[in-house]
């Protein structure tokens, strides 16, 4: 798994886009048509394979059936893979929100020195392949905590570490947009306790950031392959199941169709997650990628 | 009244008189960030340092023994070169296709723009084994496109899944959308008034692009190129899924070699994987530093 696969939904749209393309040239039409086909044909192929009875010789499948869907979801390995991936996703999102929110809040209201420390480390999962981080974690835990190796908790920690930048950028952007330092100051002036400030002022105001960050962390854990492969390949996640199936594929058609079913489901899940991110950030730039935020801020200034 | 002391900047926090503040100050200043910092040190910083350190440790102490041994093997040299070639090819195509698309999308009406952003967003999210399987289902031996082309009577044999060209096509599935999403914010920098101003000065569209558009956008596009290059070199899931197909000899890539070294090679395995991982790290670090320099220079203009 690469950073690329995890770097999800950035729907950063410049505010001043008044310069519309009113006339589309033939070249532009061709460009967009081929891009459209390039991205949709594989989706259609996967979807068709999940409902095809036999498809080896003709342009379209010989017939259609829902048997593969029923068969795939009664497969214990598939069920457990979905369960594991969901639990991993939830834990990753929950841990990241729980540890990132206090850090960002404190960096904003009390100690600005926290920010550079966090931002430098947020560049690590952004730049280094997850394969390298996972392998490093394997070697490092081999030295300090051999008992943790290959375990589910270690995998959760690793995922929390690689997904934290998404939560950080989302929460930080939400706090900036809400003007959390001033709100928090006002609440404190009104005599609110720190707990009240966090519960009644901070959290409700950064809800879009929390949801966005959580969804992105969840999506990262859902599709990640490299780290789980080197760190804990005995943990059966959706990508691990798919990889085993695609590798052991020897031409028997059933495996191919089951893969198609699982891929289709994964695809829909990611689609829903992206839609959620877009919905929660309507009218606001998602400041998920470094640079995007800077560009956006300069543009406003 | 100490409970209503203003929450403010670090300066006011530092100047605040308090009981035992000398002892508690560092904790009060860093406390809420400690869980995050601890996680990051344990899972990101320490592993990276350990990886680097291990490549220099030989039975005789600190030395370059492992490096010369591993980098001397032709298979590793070949893997490094192919990975860089694949990264460059992938980033070049992403830039050539992605830059015009990003530009045109920022100039679309909101409805159409939302449609394209949604499509690209889903494709960018979709990665790893999923893309590998989607490729096989499309251009594999019984892939849909293969069957369609053969169906219209052409004698078409798709490239093997584990080949350079097949990997390149699959990589672009996530790389083009990522490039577009990365550069879209920058495209907004080129203001509408500048084109109007240029027109007032009777500039042609071509002149506008050569003298204003291209120089301003260049650093951002180059930065996108660098990121895609870095990410492509580190891709493992897609390559793993496609390399396993049909027993063909897969193309040699750094990431695949790391995987094989860890799975099979007991003797030199971890050491070889370590060196290759550090090579990947070095490429990524250099590329990211160049990316930051580029962006900083570009933003000086604004």
């Amino acid at each position: 798994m690469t950073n690329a696969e995890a770097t999800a939904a950035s729907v950063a749209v410049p505010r001043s886009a008044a310069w519309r393309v009113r006339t589309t040239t033939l070249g532009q039409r061709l460009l967009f048509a081929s891009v459209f086909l390039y991205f949709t044909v594989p989706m259609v192929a996967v979807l068709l394979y999940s409902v095809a009875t036999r498809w080896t010789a003709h342009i379209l499948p010989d017939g259609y059936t829902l048997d593969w869907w029923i068969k795939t979801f009664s497969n214990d390995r598939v069920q457990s893979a979905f369960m594991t991936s969901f639990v991993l996703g939830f834990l990753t999102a929950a841990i990241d929100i729980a540890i990132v929110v206090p850090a960002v809040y404190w960096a904003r209201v009390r100690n600005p020195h926290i920010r550079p420390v966090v931002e430098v480390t947020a560049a690590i999962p952004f730049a280094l392949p997850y394969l390298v981080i996972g392998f490093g974690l394997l070697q490092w835990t081999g030295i300090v905590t051999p008992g943790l190796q290959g375990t589910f908790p270690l995998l959760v920690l690793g995922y929390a570490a690689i997904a934290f930048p998404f939560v950080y950028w989302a929460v930080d952007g939400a706090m900036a947009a809400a003007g959390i330092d001033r709100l928090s100051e006002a609440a404190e002036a009104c005599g609110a306790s720190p707990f009240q400030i966090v519960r009644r002022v901070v959290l409700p105001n950064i809800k879009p950031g929390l949801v966005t960050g959580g969804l992105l962390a969840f999506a990262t854990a859902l599709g990640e392959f490299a780290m789980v492969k080197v760190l804990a390949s005995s943990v059966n996640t959706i990508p691990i199941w798919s990889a085993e199936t695609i590798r052991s594929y020897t031409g028997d058609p059933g495996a191919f169709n089951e893969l198609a079913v699982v891929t289709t489901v994964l695809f829909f899940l990611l689609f829903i997650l992206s839609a959620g991110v877009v919905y929660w950030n309507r009218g606001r730039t998602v400041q998920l990628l470094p640079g995007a935020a800077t560009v956006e801020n300069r543009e406003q200034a | 009244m100490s409970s209503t002391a203003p929450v403010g900047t670090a300066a006011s926090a530092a100047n605040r008189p308090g009981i035992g503040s000398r002892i508690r100050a560092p904790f009060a200043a860093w406390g809420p960030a400690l869980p995050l910092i601890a996680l990051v040190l344990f899972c990101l910083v320490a592993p990276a340092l350990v990886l680097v350190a291990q490549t220099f440790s030989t039975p005789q102490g600190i030395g370059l023994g492992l490096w010369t041994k591993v980098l001397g093997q032709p298979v590793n040299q070949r893997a490094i070169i192919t990975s860089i070639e694949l990264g460059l090819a992938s980033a070049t195509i992403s830039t050539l296709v992605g830059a015009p698309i990003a530009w045109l999308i920022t100039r679309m009406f909101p409805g159409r723009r939302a449609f394209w952003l949604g499509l690209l967003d889903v494709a960018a999210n979709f990665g790893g084994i999923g893309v590998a399987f989607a490729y096989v289902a499309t251009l594999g031996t019984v892939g849909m496109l293969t069957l369609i082309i053969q169906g219209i009577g052409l004698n078409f044999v798709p490239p093997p899944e584990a080949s350079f060209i097949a990997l390149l096509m699959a990589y672009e599935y996530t790389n083009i959308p990522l490039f577009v999403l990365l550069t879209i914010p920058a495209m907004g920098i080129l203001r509408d008034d500048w084109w109007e101003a240029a027109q007032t000065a009777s500039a042609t569209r071509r002149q506008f692009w050569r003298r204003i558009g291209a120089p301003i956008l260049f650093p951002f596009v180059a930065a996108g190129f660098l990121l895609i290059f870095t990410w492509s070199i580190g891709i493992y899931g897609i390559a793993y899924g496609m390399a396993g197909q049909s027993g063909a000899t897969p193309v040699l890539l750094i990431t695949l070699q790391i995987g094989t070294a860890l799975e099979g090679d007991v003797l030199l395995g971890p050491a070889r994987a370590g060196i290759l991982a550090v090579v990947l790290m070095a490429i990524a670090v250099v590329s990211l530093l160049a990316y930051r320099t580029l962006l900083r220079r570009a933003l000086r203009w604004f």
Side-chain angles (χ1 to χ4, degrees):
Chain A
M1 166 103 180
T2 65
N3 305 336
E5 287 155 35
T7 303
S10 152
V11 246
V13 171
R15 269 150 226 255
S16 64
W19 188 9
R20 314 272 183 230
V21 176
R22 271 162 230 281
T23 51
T24 33
T25 63
L26 184 68
Q28 285 171 15
R29 268 167 208 264
L30 275 176
L31 177 70
F32 276 96
S34 34
V35 167
F36 181 77
L37 286 177
Y38 177 73
F39 288 115
T40 50
V41 166
M43 297 181 194
V44 172
V46 172
L47 187 65
L48 280 181
Y49 257 112
S50 77
V51 292
T53 48
R54 224 181 77 90
W55 191 11
T56 46
H58 304 289
I59 291 179
L60 285 174
D62 299 352
Y64 299 93
T65 172
L66 282 177
D67 285 357
W68 302 121
W69 284 78
I70 296 160
K71 206 179 149 216
T72 307
F73 280 100
S74 45
N75 179 338
D76 290 344
R77 289 275 296 163
V78 175
Q79 283 176 4
S80 84
F82 270 100
M83 199 45 113
T84 311
S85 282
F86 282 145
V87 172
L88 263 175
F90 278 121
L91 286 176
T92 307
I95 292 176
D96 274 338
I97 288 175
I99 63 175
V100 166
V101 171
V104 181
Y105 176 64
W106 215 239
R108 285 201 166 266
V109 301
R110 278 288 158 81
N111 184 1
H113 300 300
I114 294 173
R115 177 176 298 277
V117 175
V118 174
E119 287 193 348
V120 166
T121 47
I124 298 178
F126 180 72
L128 295 190
Y130 294 170
L131 179 69
V132 171
I133 298 175
F135 177 54
L137 203 47
L138 184 78
Q139 300 293 86
W140 160 245
T141 50
I143 298 169
V144 290
T145 52
L148 263 182
Q149 283 199 312
T151 63
F152 188 77
L154 179 63
L155 186 62
V156 173
L157 282 184
Y159 277 3
I162 56 173
F164 104 84
F166 299 113
V167 180
Y168 172 74
W169 286 318
V171 168
D172 192 50
M175 285 204 187
I180 220 70
D181 42 344
R182 287 193 190 168
L183 287 179
S184 162
E185 206 171 315
E188 192 153 324
C190 294
S193 69
F195 178 74
Q196 281 177 315
I197 297 178
V198 170
R199 241 206 75 176
R200 319 224 3 209
V201 178
V202 178
L203 292 182
N205 276 295
I206 58 166
K207 209 166 159 192
L210 291 180
V211 176
T212 310
L215 289 178
L216 291 174
F218 187 87
T220 305
L222 201 63
E224 208 285 331
F225 171 69
M227 185 179 258
V228 58
K229 179 83 174 85
V230 294
L231 208 51
S233 61
S234 60
V235 176
N236 176 35
T237 64
I238 304 174
I240 287 285
W241 179 87
S242 307
E244 279 173 11
T245 312
I246 203 170
R247 275 249 160 156
S248 60
Y249 173 70
T250 46
D252 81 292
F256 209 74
N257 299 84
E258 285 189 24
L259 255 175
V261 172
V262 170
T263 309
T264 308
V265 174
L266 191 60
F267 201 85
F268 271 107
L269 285 173
L270 290 173
F271 174 77
I272 291 166
L273 290 173
S274 315
V277 170
V278 173
Y279 173 82
W280 279 97
N281 287 281
R282 241 184 316 190
R284 195 187 319 223
T285 302
V286 193
Q287 301 176 324
L288 300 173
L289 298 163
T294 339
V295 170
E296 183 77 4
N297 296 338
R298 303 284 172 128
E299 204 188 324
Q300 283 166 352
Chain B
M1 294 304 283
S2 64
S3 67
T4 55
V7 181
T9 60
S12 77
N15 295 337
R16 231 157 20 127
I19 315 121
S21 64
R22 248 164 228 271
I23 303 149
R24 273 192 246 139
F27 184 75
W30 291 90
L34 286 182
L36 177 61
I37 292 173
L39 177 82
V40 159
L41 284 180
F42 185 83
C43 291
L44 298 175
V45 178
L49 295 180
V50 166
L51 269 191
V52 175
Q54 281 186 342
T55 60
F56 294 106
S57 75
T58 59
Q60 296 84 41
I62 295 166
L64 288 171
L66 278 177
W67 280 89
T68 46
K69 201 168 169 186
V70 172
L71 291 186
Q73 291 174 336
V75 66
N76 298 325
Q77 294 168 356
R78 196 63 241 157
I80 293 170
I81 293 170
T82 317
S83 274
I84 292 176
E85 283 171 353
L86 188 56
L88 286 176
S90 187
T92 307
I93 295 175
S94 304
T95 308
L96 292 180
V97 179
I101 289 179
W103 167 255
L104 291 170
I105 283 180
T106 55
R107 266 61 199 175
M108 274 177 184
F109 288 108
R112 284 187 68 195
R113 191 172 63 199
F115 168 79
W116 282 104
L117 282 177
L119 181 70
L120 293 173
D121 203 44
V122 173
N125 271 301
F126 190 55
I129 305 294
V131 166
F133 176 70
Y135 180 87
V136 176
T138 311
L139 268 174
T141 37
V142 290
M144 185 169 93
L145 205 56
T146 310
L147 292 177
I148 290 178
I149 298 174
Q150 286 169 351
I152 53 176
L154 293 171
N155 186 13
F156 173 73
V157 180
E161 282 98 4
S163 65
F164 187 91
I165 186 81
L167 281 176
L168 188 57
M169 278 193 269
Y171 278 22
E172 290 308 332
Y173 201 83
T174 48
N175 283 347
I176 291 175
L178 276 171
F179 183 92
V180 174
L181 296 173
L182 271 171
T183 44
I184 271 183
M187 294 294 175
I189 270 184
L190 211 53
R191 305 243 174 124
D192 302 1
D193 357 347
W194 296 348
W195 167 228
E196 281 153 22
Q199 276 180 311
T200 317
S202 73
T204 61
R205 196 171 271 268
R206 182 182 295 257
Q207 280 175 318
F208 170 76
W209 275 111
R210 239 194 63 197
R211 301 290 175 101
I212 300 165
I216 285 178
L217 292 183
F218 172 76
F220 297 101
V221 171
F225 176 93
L226 279 174
L227 276 188
I228 299 295
F229 168 74
T230 316
W231 286 340
S232 299
I233 287 186
I235 287 179
Y236 183 54
I238 300 178
Y240 181 90
M242 291 173 64
Q245 279 285 307
S246 64
T249 357
V251 81
L252 288 171
L253 295 177
I254 302 180
T255 48
L256 288 178
Q257 287 304 306
I258 293 177
T260 340
L262 284 178
E263 273 174 5
D265 199 343
V266 189
L267 201 62
L268 193 56
R272 191 159 89 89
I275 299 273
L276 290 174
V278 173
V279 168
L280 269 185
M281 247 160 110
I283 297 173
V285 168
V286 170
S287 184
L288 196 77
L289 288 178
Y291 165 81
R292 297 210 127 183
T293 318
L294 262 175
L295 269 195
R296 196 164 302 151
R297 191 164 292 177
L299 289 170
R300 250 191 346 205
W301 292 38
F302 295 92

